[in-house]
Amino acid sequence: MRTVICEQAELSVQERPVPEPGPGQVLIEVSRCGICGSDLHARHHADRLADVTAEMGYDGAIRSDQAVTLGHEFSGTIVEHGPRSRRFSPAGTPVTVFPLLREGSAVHLTGLSAHAPGGYAEYVLAEESLAFPVPNGLSSDTAALTEPMAVAWHAVRRGEVGRRDVAVVIGCGPVGLAVICMLKAHGVRHVIASDLSPGRRALAVRCGADMVVDPREQSPFTGGHGHLTDAPSMLRLAVDGMDRLRRIPLLPWSEVYRTAERLGATTPKRPVIFECVGVPGMIDQVITGAPIYSRVVVVGVCMEDDRIRPMMAINKELDLRFVLGYTPLEFRDTLAMLAEGKVDPTPLITATVGLDEVADAFSALGDPESHAKILIDPKRREPGL
Ligand SMILES: [Zn+2]
């Protein structure tokens, strides 16, 4: 079969034998595979990523001196079952895959490990239990976006965003756009998106953002939503609040305060901010710009060492959360949302290429004006860029 191999940061199309499904596995003929920002990172920063996961006890992540087939966002069709499989989906079933693969007793990250070749190929292996049938009629393009949309759905859930909360999305690359889609699908009324690129701001509007800003001209955090933005207002609030409580006759102020606290009346209004850029300096920039008490969800994957000023986050009592991946249930729910039309990620797709054009697609993704998500169709021979 034909496959794109990444080795020493070079991408080339090579011939490899079609893999054989092991026990409990299925062989999938790939229909579409998305190019993820993680793939771009893995090509150039593979060893940094592998060093960090090795510190956590996993030494199977992609390294630059290995020949690895990337691709963890794919849809396809089951063509063969391995031994002892349960065959709950027959051959011919269209599926999308939660990208983890067993090898002996170890589990590897499909498309990000030399032990589990990914979807930049005509065929790929999957665990039968992690191959999710694509409901009737959903296109293979959209089905391939289940994985990145599940990442966004997980981030939204980890952010515990309420429908009345203000959500601010910093960075409108594929990750930020997916988060915008999922926030709107979740019913969040005020979604503010920020990006330097006019092209990406236009895509954010298509994904449902209620307001887009160019951060060079306007802060995404000043929207008059009753958020505390500076230290003097925070200090004044404390003193004014006590003044008012002390004026209440008959009842001890502490009882009134306790009741108000129980009813949630003392919880300050704060936005939920999604950092979707993932370059050094971004987290500190968000911490510095964020209103007091904000919740910050770090979704962008920064591959380098970074500096933050804890004192700024401490002074604002920020809530900083990091997210990775999704659960199998979130993956399943995302696929259902796509199939039911509750969320439409098609504005993200800006091109479809064949295997021969993958290296060019990686270069093209460097320009935020022209591309967001590029899909690979392994059968395609005509140019797609
Ligand atoms: Zn990804």
Side-chain angles (χ1 to χ4, degrees):
M1 67 167 185
R2 299 176 82 233
T3 175
V4 175
I5 298 288
C6 179
E7 189 175 8
Q8 301 290 8
E10 291 297 324
L11 298 164
S12 60
V13 180
Q14 299 183 17
E15 279 292 330
R16 286 284 191 277
V18 174
E20 276 184 33
Q25 294 179 345
V26 285
L27 177 68
I28 288 164
E29 184 173 13
V30 178
S31 306
R32 297 286 187 278
C33 183
I35 298 176
C36 176
S38 304
D39 300 343
L40 273 68
H41 286 314
R43 180 186 182 189
H44 294 291
H45 303 277
D47 296 309
R48 282 194 90 92
L49 173 75
D51 288 344
V52 171
T53 53
E55 273 188 63
M56 295 170 63
Y58 174 66
D59 60 5
I62 174 173
R63 292 206 172 265
S64 55
D65 59 351
Q66 297 170 329
V68 178
T69 298
L70 297 168
H72 57 271
E73 311 174 347
F74 53 89
S75 62
T77 308
I78 295 178
V79 288
E80 198 186 325
H81 292 77
R84 298 197 294 283
S85 55
R86 297 182 51 203
R87 294 174 186 268
F88 28 69
S89 301
T93 306
V95 291
T96 182
V97 171
F98 190 109
L100 290 177
L101 194 74
R102 273 207 179 94
E103 186 197 56
S105 61
V107 174
H108 295 288
L109 307 165
T110 303
L112 289 167
S113 168
H115 302 273
Y120 291 14
E122 289 179 273
Y123 295 92
V124 66
L125 293 180
E127 292 297 317
E128 186 184 28
S129 63
L130 298 177
F132 294 69
V134 174
N136 238 356
L138 187 65
S139 74
S140 51
D141 282 11
T142 307
L145 293 179
T146 307
E147 201 275 349
M149 296 307 287
V151 168
W153 180 230
H154 178 68
V156 169
R157 293 192 73 222
R158 283 272 289 134
E160 294 177 81
V161 199
R163 289 174 174 81
R164 289 158 188 261
D165 285 330
V166 173
V168 183
V169 179
I170 307 297
C172 301
V175 173
L177 293 172
V179 168
I180 294 168
C181 289
M182 284 309 199
L183 286 166
K184 294 313 289 182
H186 188 47
V188 178
R189 286 188 215 145
H190 295 289
V191 178
I192 300 164
S194 169
D195 200 291
L196 296 167
S197 146
R200 289 199 159 168
R201 290 199 298 275
L203 284 178
V205 171
R206 287 185 62 200
C207 289
D210 300 287
M211 181 183 166
V212 290
V213 303
D214 178 345
R216 283 166 301 205
E217 288 169 7
Q218 187 186 350
S219 162
F221 305 115
T222 51
H225 298 281
H227 303 140
L228 286 172
T229 51
D230 56 81
S233 351
M234 179 173 66
L235 299 173
R236 219 177 298 121
L237 187 76
V239 179
D240 290 353
M242 278 307 288
D243 276 351
R244 273 201 297 277
L245 280 171
R246 295 281 197 183
R247 267 188 241 122
I248 297 171
L250 305 173
L251 288 168
W253 71 268
S254 57
E255 287 304 309
V256 180
Y257 198 146
R258 214 176 300 284
T259 307
E261 196 176 69
R262 212 176 298 129
L263 296 171
T266 58
T267 311
K269 288 180 87 177
R270 45 107 193 89
V272 184
I273 302 164
F274 294 86
E275 197 297 280
C276 301
V277 179
V279 300
M282 272 317 295
I283 297 175
D284 197 66
Q285 204 176 305
V286 169
I287 286 172
T288 305
I292 291 159
Y293 305 119
S294 292
R295 180 177 302 147
V296 180
V297 183
V298 180
V299 198
V301 182
C302 179
M303 304 289 277
E304 290 156 67
D305 292 348
D306 197 5
R307 282 172 66 93
I308 64 164
R309 290 172 300 162
M311 192 45 80
M312 184 61 87
I314 290 164
N315 282 343
K316 295 183 177 185
E317 198 163 295
L318 297 186
D319 182 358
L320 192 55
R321 299 182 182 184
F322 293 84
V323 298
L324 174 75
Y326 35 77
T327 66
L329 186 60
E330 286 167 342
F331 193 92
R332 177 260 164 223
D333 288 347
T334 301
L335 179 57
M337 280 190 261
L338 294 171
E340 289 160 14
K342 287 189 179 150
V343 55
D344 175 17
T346 47
L348 270 74
I349 304 171
T350 51
T352 303
V353 300
L355 294 172
D356 298 298
E357 252 188 318
V358 170
D360 294 336
F362 270 54
S363 312
L365 284 165
D367 174 12
E369 273 319 305
S370 41
H371 287 289
K373 178 65 72 184
I374 298 181
L375 295 179
I376 299 167
D377 171 0
K379 289 196 189 64
R380 188 183 175 106
R381 292 300 172 115
E382 66 272 28
L385 285 174

